[in-house]
Amino acid sequence: MALIRNGALARDSFKNAAGRSELPDHGAVLVGLDQWREHRDPLLRRGERIGLLLLSDQHPEAIAADVHYFDLIALEFPGFRDGRAYSYARLLRERFKFTGELRAVGDVLLEQLHYMHRVGFNSFDLDSRQPLEEWKTAAGEFSVWYQPTADGRATATELRHWRNNQLRASAI
Amino acid sequence: MYRYDEFDQDLVNERVEQFRRQVARRLNGELNEDQFKPLRLMNGLYLQLHAYMLRINVPYGCLSSRQLRTLAHIARVYDKGFGHFTTRQNLQFNWVKLEDIPDVLAALAEVEMHCIQSSGNCIRNITSDQYAGRAKDELEDPRVFCEIIRQWYTLHPEFAYLPRKFKIAVTGSPNDRAAVQVHDIGLRMHLNSSGEPGFEVIVGGGQGRTPHIGKTIRDWLPEEHLLSYLEAILRVYNLYGRRDNIYKARIKILVNHLGIKEFRRQVAEEWEYIKDGALHIPDEEFARINAYFAPPAYERLDDLGQELNGLRETTDEFDAWMQSNVAEHKVAGYAIVNLSLKGPDRPPGDLTADQMDAVADLADRYSFGELRVNHRQNLVFVDVKQSELKELWGKLKALGLATANIGYASDMICCPGLDYCALANARSIPIAEQITERFEDLKHLHAIGDLTINISGCVNACGHHHVGNIGILGVDKKGEEYYQFTLGGSSNQNASLGDRTGPGFSADDAAGAVETIVNTYLNVRHNGEPFLDTYRRVGMAPFKEALYGTD
């Protein structure tokens, strides 16, 4: 697997323990929702970074109060057509104020990258046979967006009104 | 009409370049058909029975003469010289080659057109009243809201992979010409008790194999909250719509499963979080979009009245055309003219490249260079001087576009059917041709009056058969094409789904069955009563008896 984070190839420092019975002795670890619920206290006592994997039918509302414990939240795409995690990502960023790494895992297509960026993902776990060079640039295929999301990019509408106000101001 | 600024134009240009790269990867084998499919579908490119079909968005049915000339050019250079207008007010080309598609998209981008989201499980081209901004019965121009919604859904990052496709329609008139009750979301403008305009929001309507009339989720929504409320509905649907079975994935199934009360509650809960956020539409944005739809430079004229009546008396054919194809305009001295694409010489909704060029010229000469597409697959000139109606009629007649049948029996909605479509079970175009022949006599056609006949070549109902006054559904019965009939469907403000008559008819007997139904109606109708009202009054029995006899 290959990890692209913030537009560059990156090392994955999280050990994937999701669904496993044993947690690694030390180091950053990725766990599933059931594990988090069951081992929350020991996980917190380890004092290491914690990542949480949510499956496509696990609404992040379940951990809304806990998001500050996680350095990483990974959202699963069981198939590229399953678009639920686009909504989850926005809720995590915009409503639950998650500021850590938000990672797309599973069946993720190059052409979906620009959408994923906009809803708040900043890292992508990819099959290393994918054309990784193209992944680095795919998020820049579009420069115009109509929808306000938490990625902070100005929308076309905002830019239009900002420009009109500038013009008006310079006319005075 | 709306014009692109540099933001809209950049986005569409970038999309063309993106798809050019994708097509190159497909042609050099880097992508196989499976991997390419979702990409091409996001750009309106289908693989049909014989070739690729490209579906081009005509946003809420508004088209300029310049755009139509480009479509003519594409038809001539890249296709077989014709295009097909659809029930989503779009245009389809049936014979485009994959390697040419990037150039076709680039040509479209030059005239502010594209194919983004004209297919795929995303929000499709928004549709509206073809008389928008011109109708006498209108409260406000729905195009303003359509354009605001269009921008909101274009490349919406959250809703590009919905459980299934999603269709929105808007009407600004109490008389619904946009079939809003059979859309995933229908918006119907009306005034609240204090006289402020807002929208009744209807959700979960749809056709296909499980047709539903939509349910009202909100009686009155202030205009400024339109986008946040749509986003709340779409989010609930994206999260909870079924993804395990494509036949149960439309929002109508979710609404029905939860019940409208519970669905409404979930949407309200979601909406509470976002209604006063970034999607709130400020007055200045309404004003900005509104300016694009300012009325054209009308002359100060009086309605012609007497003079026009005099002209009508001179020619029966012109009189009939005035009766069926010309509608009232809200500005004195002007009229709305429907161009019928349902003549005896063409499949319903088809227009040749030469006709497109000629229509573009007529639009420039008689209607401020703009035209509309309606969801019954016809074209409309919305700003014609009454004093020029007779002259325009003559020119349209020469083009074969003045058949006096708008809203009448031979003005059928008809899907491409088995002649083109990979999903179809039966042909629909030949059935439409046979029906057209039976109603060629203008006097007879006009004596029958308002009657919608809608034909689909399979249960997916692209031909809107459920809501035709007479609906015809093509099915495959042991390798033979059969046609099932429904009666009493309607997509207007009192929408209803048709009732099955009984066993189907063979391709040879289908047009005869239509005639039997029509003759039965003529026998039992009260004076001046349209087909739909008669059916609602007398029910199925007399029709059933005429079609199948008594046993």
Side-chain angles (χ1 to χ4, degrees), chain A residues 3 12-24 26-36 39 43 46 48-55 70-76 98 101-106 123 125:
Chain A
L3 185 69
D12 185 5
S13 51
F14 285 83
K15 280 228 166 57
N16 186 355
R20 300 202 183 130
S21 50
E22 301 273 308
L23 295 177
H26 55 85
V29 64
L30 180 71
V31 298
L33 182 60
D34 290 345
Q35 286 165 300
W36 168 248
H39 305 294
L43 274 165
R46 286 169 89 238
E48 306 264 12
R49 291 183 302 152
I50 305 167
L52 177 74
L53 172 70
L54 290 176
L55 302 180
F70 306 118
D71 291 274
L72 161 72
I73 294 179
L75 298 178
E76 183 219 19
F98 176 64
E101 177 180 342
L102 191 57
R103 187 185 294 181
V105 301
S123 77
D125 198 12

Side-chain angles (χ1 to χ4, degrees), chain B residues 72 74-83 93 351-354 356:
Chain B
I74 292 168
R76 213 170 269 128
V77 176
Y78 300 103
D79 202 274
K80 293 189 176 179
F82 67 96
F93 287 120
L351 200 64
T352 68
D354 290 347
M356 289 181 203

